[in-house]
Amino acid sequence: MRTNKVKKAIIPAAGSGTRLLPATKAMAKEMMPIVDKPTIQLIVEEAVASGIEEILIITGKGKRPIEDHFDANIELEATLREKGKLDLLKLVEDNFGAKIYFVRQPYPKGLGDAVLQAKAFVGNEPFVVLLGDDIMSDTTPLSKQLIDSYYKTNTSQIAVMEVEPSQTSSYGIIDVDSQLEEGLYNVKKFVEKPKPEDAPSNLAIIGRYLLTPDIFSILENLEPGVGGEIQLTDAIDQLNRTQRVFAKTFRGVRYDTGNKLGLITTNIQYGLEHPEVKEGLKQYIIDLAKKLEKE
Ligand code: G1P
């Protein structure tokens, strides 16, 4: 058993953003803004706030803007410095708080295959996986909750949350065995995207994982699953047969930014907390509500 400090995280960002077309026709979905930050920057901030020191972002075709975003923009920095715009300079300087690396997934063979691209980066350490579509908000960042739980059990931890029973075919779903402590479950089975009638529960995998490196040898030998893709959920299910994988309930707020309505509502929520726009946005919403009431 390992009790290594968790220092590394990976962010798979190779998927296409069909739910946001046409905006994502020529732009990476991870670059869609939440007020003034690309969603992937908020994901990186969660990792850094959880103590992560090194992050590998797995990209693919058309994802170059993500690399540019996390790189220094020397010309822009020089211009802002020259003009004395130091507030703006602070926003664009390379100060994300972690070392950020990139690797490309050559073929879109699924999430499991994307995670496998991180094998050399991860080495023999436990690591966090953060999927880019969802922003998780809680007093303790969700990745930190999984890391803390790993320090207690020494095994993998998967974040789960209840979803509408009709939505199970969009998620990995767990078959609960027993409850170890409040919100921490032993799992009988992890099933990728079951139809509602086949789903063993409505507890869904929500895109945050703490995995031990034993997952890689499983991924290397895994047959394609649902949709003909190498599924991370299938690899986790196999891992759970030899080494306990726990499911941990997330009690904070999950913002799904990968679909149109979610992207709009997340922007409103974050806008209501943004010092520059919160007053104006609040007034706008109050006026709009009055207008809609009259209609
Ligand atoms: C992936 C995983 C799925 C998980 C989901 C969370 O699916 O395969 O198990 O529940 O992320 O967002 P995707 O959304 O990439 O189809």
Side-chain angles (χ1 to χ4, degrees), residues 19 29 111 131 133-134 170-173 191-193 204-207 209 231-233 254:
R19 289 185 295 166
K29 64 174 170 172
L111 180 60
L131 303 190
D133 277 353
D134 290 354
S170 302
Y171 297 95
I173 300 289
V191 192
E192 180 66 3
K193 304 201 169 99
I205 299 173
I206 51 169
Y209 312 75
Q231 297 291 354
L232 182 60
T233 304
R254 178 172 75 104

Side-chain angles (χ1 to χ4, degrees), residues 25-237:
K25 184 181 170 194
M27 183 168 77
K29 64 174 170 172
E30 296 79 7
M31 293 302 292
M32 296 295 282
I34 305 301
V35 189
D36 53 4
K37 288 181 185 173
T39 51
I40 194 162
Q41 183 172 339
L42 295 170
I43 307 287
V44 165
E45 287 177 3
E46 178 192 326
V48 171
S50 303
I52 294 297
E53 295 166 14
E54 292 179 70
I55 298 171
L56 178 72
I57 300 179
I58 297 147
T59 65
K61 197 173 173 306
K63 303 286 182 163
R64 191 74 54 78
I66 301 178
E67 295 183 33
D68 289 341
H69 182 72
F70 290 105
D71 193 4
N73 185 334
I74 297 167
E75 293 85 8
L76 179 62
E77 286 177 24
T79 312
L80 293 173
R81 200 169 292 120
E82 222 169 79
K83 293 189 173 160
K85 297 190 169 169
L86 300 182
D87 282 1
L88 291 180
L89 181 62
K90 241 191 274 162
L91 293 180
V92 300
E93 266 176 340
D94 174 24
N95 58 359
F96 296 102
K99 278 193 196 145
I100 299 181
Y101 306 93
F102 297 90
V103 67
R104 278 170 79 112
Q105 180 190 24
Y107 300 100
K109 290 200 286 189
L111 180 60
D113 178 69
V115 170
L116 185 53
Q117 310 302 315
K119 185 180 177 213
F121 166 78
V122 167
N124 198 26
E125 297 175 32
F127 64 104
V128 177
V129 181
L130 301 96
L131 303 190
D133 277 353
D134 290 354
I135 295 169
M136 309 295 181
S137 171
D138 204 350
T139 35
T140 303
L142 177 53
S143 297
K144 172 109 185 13
Q145 296 177 29
L146 296 181
I147 293 170
D148 289 344
S149 199
Y150 164 79
Y151 288 145
K152 283 191 213 153
T153 65
N154 281 325
T155 61
S156 301
Q157 310 284 325
I158 314 296
V160 296
M161 200 171 192
E162 280 188 23
V163 294
E164 286 297 322
S166 60
Q167 299 298 305
T168 56
S169 57
S170 302
Y171 297 95
I173 300 289
I174 64 165
D175 189 355
V176 174
D177 188 348
S178 55
Q179 189 161 212
L180 202 74
E181 58 181 66
E182 173 63 23
L184 189 66
Y185 301 99
N186 275 308
V187 179
K188 253 187 255 167
K189 205 163 171 39
F190 294 84
V191 192
E192 180 66 3
K193 304 201 169 99
K195 290 193 201 107
E197 58 269 32
D198 302 328
S201 77
N202 66 336
L203 279 173
I205 299 173
I206 51 169
R208 295 292 184 279
Y209 312 75
L210 180 305
L211 296 171
T212 57
D214 309 277
I215 197 78
F216 292 115
S217 57
I218 297 174
L219 283 170
E220 273 169 338
N221 296 301
L222 199 64
E223 294 293 322
V226 174
E229 295 189 343
I230 305 291
Q231 297 291 354
L232 182 60
T233 304
D234 295 347
I236 291 168
D237 188 55

